[in-house]
Each structure stands twice: as structure tokens, then as C-alpha cells.
Amino acid sequence: MALGVAACGKAGSSSSSSSSASSSSSSSTGSAAAGGTIGLLLPDNVTPRYASFDRPDITAKITSLCSSCKVDFQDAAGSAATQAQQMSTMVADGDKVIILDPEDNVGIESSVKAAVAKGVKVISYDRLANGPVSGYVSYDNEKVGELQGAALLSFLGSKATPSTKVVEIDGAASDPNAAQFKAGFKEAVNGKVDVAFDESGNWLATTANQQATAAISQLGAKNIAAVYSANDTMGDGVETALKAAGIPDLLATGQDAGIDGIQRIVAGTQYSTVYKAFTPEADAAATMAVDLLQGQPVTSVATSTQTSLSGNSVPSELLTPVLVTKANVNAQIMAIKMYTYSQICTSALAADCTAAGITQ
């Protein structure tokens, strides 16, 4: 899956959401000679977007704004303790700004405080870390959950009643975004369906498979009307469990527009995903980082303020997510060349692609 995504180039490069990042680039390019090292800490090597989009997009934007800047990249491989150590090493090595996507937003607070005490600026990326971070870039995460909830109801149609049983597979409890996705989803579906099984899939396909299997065993295959999966990676595991139970067409939601998720949507075994254009998010974070490195404020990018769980008020930029179903795969995914036709439309999916209006 990661290889398929990596082959495709940048996602969402034509999105209007990139305007805030690009509008501030003039302040950074004006002092491009003021270089330095910017750390980039990403949380895991399982989620395909990090290696395929976030890292290369952030690196490319930093380089375009500051040719003398270096990017010091580390991947925590899903370990909060590893990420804390990596952050400490970056500070010791002299990195002046760190872009941090926290594996554990609460546990990383002491590391953020230690870095700031040494004069290092921290940008929180995609997830809002506790502590005195200087800027935050993400998507409107409750809106993501609301879109997913609305999609599940649309998938059910007239079958959506207060007694209709659905299964909810959430993201990792350590991820603050997961709680916001969940809150938005609950707001959309409360009183309209019965969430009869609600557990964390920990952002892993294997864990999601186990949870979906447990839900089927507990509720009975015939009693489940739809499954909410917080992202497409977990959707892989959910689909396998549903297939094994003979109910393969009940996966209603996903997130990240992963290639497997898009293929399932085309094939009709997944109803929707939420697309969050990676490039605008990466560009905004990179621009904030270069601005801070060169003594500029982040307010040329940040258009709002968010409060972290530690009570810190953080200048923020929240971008707008987009719901993708079979009806708009062509317009939202293929039109921006996120994936090539051959990547999506394998021989097994050729007829489905034609039916969905996807052409070369």
C-alpha cells in the first residue's frame, strides 16, 4: 500500500486551502540566507501518509523557502518514549525549530517544555501537543467526525433508526485528534442509530480487525447495519473481518483517502473516506517553521487560536476536510492526480472504475 501511494506525487497541491501557507512565503524567502536546522518528528511508520506525503512535502517546502536550511527527520515508530528521546537529541544537536506530530500529546509535554527552555521553538503538526508550542497546523477534526457521521447516515438511508446497530472503531486513545473525530461522529449520529459496539482500533489494521471480529461475535453478523472506521488503515482490518463473516459491504467510513480505501469505495465495499489535502497542511507547517527560524511571527499563517489540554493558547491554522464517495472520486481524487489511473483501476477493478466514471 505504501509503495502505491509513494509512486503518485503530491496530494492536494491545487487545493485552495494552501493559500494561507503560500501567502506568507514572501516573509521567509526574503531572508532565505538565514539558515539552520529544523527538526521533523513524525509518530509512526505504519500510516502511509507520513512517508509518502507529509515528510517529502514538508522537506520540499522548507527547502523552497530556505535553501540553506536542513531538515533533521526522525520517526518514532509508534513509541512515545522513542519520540521523547528523539526530541531531546534534536535539542542537543542544535535544531532551532522542531515540527512535532506527537505520538502522545500529553506525555510529550515535558519534552516540549525542555526544548522551549533551551530556546527551541516547537510547531505542533496535525495533533496539538501539550506545552508551550508556538504554532499548530491541522484540520478541523470535529468536522472530520461530523462528515463521517453524516456519511454513515447517508449510507444507511431509510435503515437509520434509533434501534439500528452500528459498530464504532476509533483511533488511538493517546491521539487527541481521535477524541475530536469521535466527538464529531457522536454529535452527528446520537439518537439516530444505536452505537452498539465502541472500541479503539489504535490506528492499526490488526487491532481494528480484532475489534471488528469481537463486535461480530458479540452482536451477530445479521444484526450489524454499518461500521464506522476512523481511518482507512483500520478499514483494511475491518474489511477483512466483515468479509470473513459474509457481510463485506458494511464499511461506511474511513479517513486519509488511502489508496486501499479509494479502491474499496470504487468497488463498493467502503462507502466513504475523508480527504485532508496533505500538501496545504505540510506547507503551512513548513512556512511556520521557517518563519520562526528567521525571527518572523507565525500569524501570517495562523488565522485562529486553539487551546491545548495543558491550557496553552496556540496560534493555529485549521484546514477544511472533504468527504469522498464514489460519486466524487473522479473530481476530488483523480482530478488532482493523487493517484494514477493504473494505481486505482487494476484489472480487477476496471469494470468498477468504468461504472464510477473514472477514465484514463
Side-chain angles (χ1 to χ4, degrees), residues 31-36 66 68-69 290 293-294:
S31 55
C66 177
S68 57
C69 287
V290 173
L293 184 68
Q294 298 173 349

Side-chain angles (χ1 to χ4, degrees), residues 213-282:
T213 300
I216 293 164
S217 176
Q218 178 180 316
L219 302 175
K222 293 182 179 180
N223 297 319
I224 298 171
V227 179
Y228 162 87
S229 173
N231 80 344
D232 293 331
T233 297
M234 294 193 303
D236 294 344
V238 171
E239 182 199 30
T240 303
L242 294 176
K243 221 178 252 187
I247 47 173
D249 302 336
L250 300 184
L251 180 57
T253 68
Q255 183 181 177
D256 294 333
I259 191 166
D260 284 4
I262 296 299
Q263 288 178 322
R264 285 193 294 270
I265 288 172
V266 170
T269 58
Q270 179 171 324
Y271 179 71
S272 70
T273 188
V274 174
Y275 172 50
K276 302 180 300 183
F278 308 122
T279 300
E281 187 180 15

Side-chain angles (χ1 to χ4, degrees), residues 72-142:
D72 179 12
F73 168 73
Q74 292 292 332
D75 158 29
S79 168
T82 297
Q83 189 170 69
Q85 181 56 55
Q86 289 169 340
M87 194 165 184
S88 178
T89 299
M90 285 182 175
V91 173
D93 287 346
D95 295 10
K96 298 302 182 185
V97 179
I98 296 174
I99 300 172
L100 166 69
D101 188 344
E103 173 64 25
D104 179 349
N105 68 304
V106 175
I108 201 67
E109 181 176 359
S110 60
S111 298
V112 171
K113 287 180 175 178
V116 171
K118 294 288 187 180
V120 178
K121 303 291 187 181
V122 179
I123 298 294
S124 206
Y125 181 68
D126 204 56
R127 302 164 178 168
L128 182 53
N130 279 9
V133 301
S134 296
Y136 170 50
V137 178
S138 188
Y139 275 79
D140 184 336
N141 295 314
E142 287 205 19

Side-chain angles (χ1 to χ4, degrees), residues 152-204:
L152 182 137
L153 295 175
S154 177
F155 168 74
L156 288 171
S158 61
K159 295 179 181 178
T161 70
S163 61
T164 299
K165 288 180 168 42
V166 302
V167 172
E168 179 177 346
I169 308 295
D170 299 310
S174 62
D175 180 350
N177 289 6
Q180 293 175 325
F181 301 147
K182 183 184 181 79
F185 174 72
K186 292 288 195 187
E187 180 68 22
V189 304
N190 271 350
K192 298 173 182 176
V193 293
D194 174 17
V195 179
F197 184 95
D198 180 0
E199 294 291 344
S200 169
N202 207 36
W203 297 133
L204 298 173

Side-chain angles (χ1 to χ4, degrees), residues 259 262-268 326-327 329-330 334 339-360:
I259 191 166
I262 296 299
Q263 288 178 322
R264 285 193 294 270
I265 288 172
V266 170
K326 188 182 292 189
V329 166
N330 222 26
M334 304 306 292
Y339 305 114
T340 65
Y341 177 87
S342 60
Q343 286 173 327
I344 296 292
C345 301
T346 61
S347 57
L349 289 176
D352 293 311
C353 282
T354 299
I358 299 174
T359 58
Q360 296 196 54

